[in-house]
Amino acid sequence: SGTKPAGVPEFTVVLGAQYEFETGSGKIVPRVSYLWQSETQLVEGLPAFLVKNPDGSIANNAPALAAALPFTMEVNDLTASLSYDLDSGISFSLWGRNLLNDRNLGVVFDSPAQPGNVSGYPSDPRTYGATIRWKM
């Protein structure tokens, strides 16, 4: 069709690093990762906005394509963690996801039972946490 498919960014960059520092009773492990994706269209069109003929065939798809145009996404996701892994098998970790708090709609679609409306699912917010693990 000569058009670029929706949901496929032109560029994707993934960077990550991890290093292990040995200590007397275990190791300290910092990790960081970054994901960037160039801006891309989320959907190619929204079917509820199609103009149809009485027989159900499509008369005009331009309104469906135009309704989808505002919905784009660019990803900037930074994740990091710091772990202390003891030789005894116990591990303590502090972590953060989406540290840049990059908020996007990951999916958009025609709202069910609400003609002319659009719904979407947002990306996860910035999240922090701690984890304790024990390996036998």
Side-chain angles (χ1 to χ4, degrees):
S1 68
T3 61
K4 183 177 165 188
V8 181
E10 186 174 359
F11 299 103
T12 297
V13 175
V14 179
L15 301 170
Q18 172 179 316
Y19 191 79
E20 296 182 4
F21 299 96
E22 294 294 331
T23 65
S25 59
K27 60 186 172 187
I28 297 173
V29 184
R31 296 178 182 93
V32 63
S33 65
Y34 177 71
L35 166 65
W36 174 78
Q37 293 180 327
S38 59
E39 187 174 12
T40 186
Q41 191 70 38
L42 285 179
V43 292
E44 293 174 21
L46 293 164
F49 293 86
L50 288 169
V51 177
K52 295 185 178 181
N53 292 316
D55 65 358
S57 62
I58 297 171
N60 185 359
N61 69 350
L65 296 173
L69 282 178
F71 301 105
T72 64
M73 176 177 68
E74 178 181 339
V75 176
N76 288 291
D77 186 20
L78 179 66
T79 298
S81 68
L82 179 64
S83 299
Y84 182 43
D85 302 334
L86 296 168
D87 293 336
S88 65
I90 297 174
S91 176
F92 302 94
S93 299
L94 297 173
W95 49 266
R97 296 185 184 127
N98 190 15
L99 293 172
L100 302 174
N101 204 29
D102 184 39
R103 301 304 307 267
N104 290 296
L105 289 175
V107 176
V108 294
F109 53 92
D110 297 316
S111 297
Q114 298 176 356
N117 289 307
V118 178
S119 295
Y121 296 124
S123 60
D124 292 333
R126 180 184 298 138
T127 308
Y128 300 99
T131 303
I132 299 174
R133 292 188 179 115
W134 178 48
K135 297 179 189 174
M136 296 178 77

